[in-house]
Amino acid sequence: MTLMGKKFGINRRHFIAGATAGLATPAILTRTRAYAADPVIRIGHVSPRTGPLAGFAEADEFVLAGIEKALAGGVENNNKSYKIEIISKDSQSNPNRAAEVASELILSDEVDILVGASTPDTTNPISDQAELNEVPCITTDCPWQPYFFGRNGDPAQGFDYTYHFFWGLEDVIKAFLALWEEAGVARKVGGLFPNDADGNAWGDDQRGFPPALIGSGFELTDPGRYQPLTDDFSTQISAFKEAGCEIVTGNMIPPDFATFWSQSAQQGFQPKVVTIGKALLFPSVIESLGDRGDGLTSEIWWTPDHPFSSSLTGESARQLADGYVAASGRPWTQPIGFKHALFEVTTDVIRRTADLDDPNSILEAIQATDLPTVVGHVNWGFGPVKNVSKTPLVAGQWQKGANGMELVITSNHSAPEIPTTGKLKLLS
């Protein structure tokens, strides 16, 4: 049997990649990283650069350039400097493509750590590939329930190789309820939940919005799951109008919300509060809605006003956001903080790993993470399940300001350490 570069053992990904060749060629003793002249740690990165989820990756180029600059001198581990090579691939907003490129990174590029971000369509398939091939993996930008239960996770066991940091549905529900309480409108809510991993989790009868709303005295009208990229929301709009819904909530991709909001105007549906996850995160989406973007509300993961700084560069949230605006000429976006934090955590893990040639040693370092980042504290010792570390969440509103649409924090009940920056106003 060929000895394949991970000290004296062989892991599954090396076996799969090399077994066929090994049958036809004599065994070859490869040098371990410890004896390489210029040892390199390879980080595989997957993100939706194109497709309907591309807004999540709008700042990827900026973030990756900043990380590469910060790590240009290498990372110290056990008195030795390791070069860091980041190999980034586009999931094209497609779960199948995400799994394909994750497999390429593991089997062809032989990355040491896999990282990824942005909705279950990316985090879940790449985590499944990492788990299958026994490669340490860290992900973010996805509520933890769709990530964990969407992969059939068992809280009693968890996963072996895959770890995630973000907030959960319990946090977004708490943030939305606090925002609606402040609005003082009728407690009748229309639900828009797509037939995808996010939508099924948000609309779940046990863990999602329905039981929480009922338990808090709200009445939910849920017309059922709609297919993503549908071109007709007449059924949902009619149901909401008939029920007298003054609040609309859900989790949608930007094209679907644009269709719904346009048809709502055409059909005379005028809710007083519209609080939608995912679709309303991005300035580009709000700008595309024109005046009808003013007053829309959403969860807020990260802003320049968050009181956190990078453990890697020392930059404050404000400095990181301003850097993006200066470099791109575009407004800051919420995923910037989490994309940066993903590499904060990964770099910290590399520094603390006892033996970088051993995936299990890397896993031990991940599990022992206790790191203040630009999005908050990451520590897998205190999560709701084994593989999850939670970050703080607040809620707010897009409001027209002197420089166009601005996202202001109007409710911070879930995370009082994050200051509010405005007051909620009704749509009508």
Side-chain angles (χ1 to χ4, degrees):
M1 182 180 290
T2 303
L3 185 63
M4 299 293 294
K6 286 291 182 186
K7 290 232 168 177
F8 305 105
I10 181 168
N11 66 27
R12 184 183 302 174
R13 65 174 166 139
H14 285 104
F15 179 79
I16 293 173
T20 303
L23 293 174
T25 58
I28 300 172
L29 182 65
T30 60
R31 294 195 307 173
T32 66
R33 196 193 325 276
Y35 295 101
D38 297 304
V40 175
I41 295 293
R42 293 187 179 90
I43 302 172
H45 172 252
V46 183
S47 188
R49 294 287 191 99
T50 57
L53 300 175
F56 284 88
E58 179 182 329
D60 274 15
E61 186 175 341
F62 167 79
V63 172
L64 289 172
I67 296 300
E68 289 173 354
K69 180 179 179 181
L71 302 180
V75 173
E76 293 295 318
N77 175 285
N78 291 323
N79 298 316
K80 189 175 184 66
S81 181
Y82 288 77
K83 292 185 178 179
I84 305 299
E85 179 182 353
I86 300 172
I87 307 171
S88 184
K89 298 197 176 186
D90 179 13
S91 72
Q92 300 175 4
S93 301
N94 185 307
N96 294 328
R97 178 61 179 170
E100 181 182 340
V101 296
S103 179
E104 290 174 359
L105 287 166
I106 293 168
L107 300 178
S108 299
D109 298 302
E110 295 194 343
V111 297
D112 300 282
I113 303 174
L114 188 65
V115 302
S118 307
T119 84
D121 287 340
T122 303
T123 62
N124 291 16
I126 72 168
S127 295
D128 286 344
Q129 287 295 314
E131 195 75 20
L132 174 67
N133 291 290
E134 301 179 353
V135 175
C137 177
I138 303 171
T139 53
T140 190
D141 283 15
C142 167
W144 74 261
Q145 287 92 341
Y147 161 83
F148 190 85
F149 295 113
R151 299 173 55 218
N152 298 315
D154 180 353
Q157 295 182 338
F159 298 102
D160 293 325
Y161 288 86
T162 50
Y163 289 79
H164 186 76
F165 66 96
F166 207 54
W167 42 266
L169 293 182
E170 70 278 18
D171 302 304
V172 74
I173 290 170
K174 185 177 180 181
F176 283 10
L177 288 176
L179 186 148
W180 299 338
E181 292 281 1
E182 294 171 6
V185 300
R187 302 167 81 86
K188 294 185 177 183
V189 182
L192 289 167
F193 305 116
N195 186 23
D196 61 16
D198 259 339
N200 290 326
W202 284 54
D204 186 80
D205 287 338
Q206 295 182 340
R207 302 189 182 100
F209 270 77
L213 293 181
I214 294 171
S216 298
F218 287 84
E219 179 183 328
L220 175 66
T221 298
D222 181 359
R225 306 297 159 263
Y226 70 85
Q227 291 304 314
L229 296 177
T230 186
D231 59 2
D232 187 2
F233 283 94
S234 297
T235 298
Q236 290 83 357
I237 292 169
S238 295
F240 298 162
K241 289 172 69 176
E242 183 177 349
C245 295
E246 293 193 352
I247 302 170
V248 173
T249 194
N251 184 280
M252 312 175 77
I253 59 176
D256 286 346
F257 178 77
T259 301
F260 165 77
W261 200 221
S262 174
Q263 292 178 0
S264 292
Q266 294 167 6
Q267 297 176 35
F269 177 49
Q270 296 179 316
K272 295 181 179 179
V273 179
V274 174
T275 311
I276 300 292
K278 189 186 294 188
L280 303 184
L281 298 172
F282 307 113
S284 58
V285 174
I286 300 301
E287 290 170 1
S288 72
L289 300 173
D291 288 341
R292 285 180 58 75
D294 188 19
L296 296 173
T297 51
S298 181
E299 81 274 19
I300 298 179
W301 331 336
W302 181 85
T303 73
D305 294 297
H306 276 49
F308 310 125
S309 297
S310 169
S311 62
L312 182 58
T313 66
E315 293 173 289
S316 66
R318 172 65 61 183
Q319 289 171 322
L320 183 61
D322 286 350
Y324 174 73
V325 173
S328 67
R330 297 192 297 271
W332 59 269
T333 66
Q334 295 191 52
I336 292 172
F338 280 85
K339 294 296 180 71
H340 181 93
L342 189 60
F343 290 97
E344 284 187 72
V345 174
T346 304
T347 302
D348 176 67
V349 166
I350 292 170
R351 285 174 175 154
R352 292 183 293 101
T353 297
D355 181 359
L356 285 169
D357 288 315
D358 181 3
N360 289 321
S361 186
I362 295 175
L363 284 177
E364 290 174 1
I366 293 174
Q367 293 160 2
T369 296
D370 184 14
L371 185 71
T373 76
V374 77
V375 300
H377 216 95
V378 177
N379 184 322
W380 278 285
F382 299 98
V385 291
K386 172 186 173 183
N387 305 82
V388 171
S389 175
K390 293 212 304 180
T391 53
L393 184 71
V394 292
Q397 185 172 49
W398 289 97
Q399 297 180 357
K400 186 176 293 185
N403 299 314
M405 292 296 186
E406 299 175 355
L407 183 60
V408 299
I409 300 170
T410 63
S411 178
N412 66 347
H413 291 247
S414 302
E417 70 274 19
I418 299 171
T420 58
T421 58
K423 297 288 186 180
L424 183 71
K425 64 180 184 180
L426 299 183
L427 288 170
S428 59

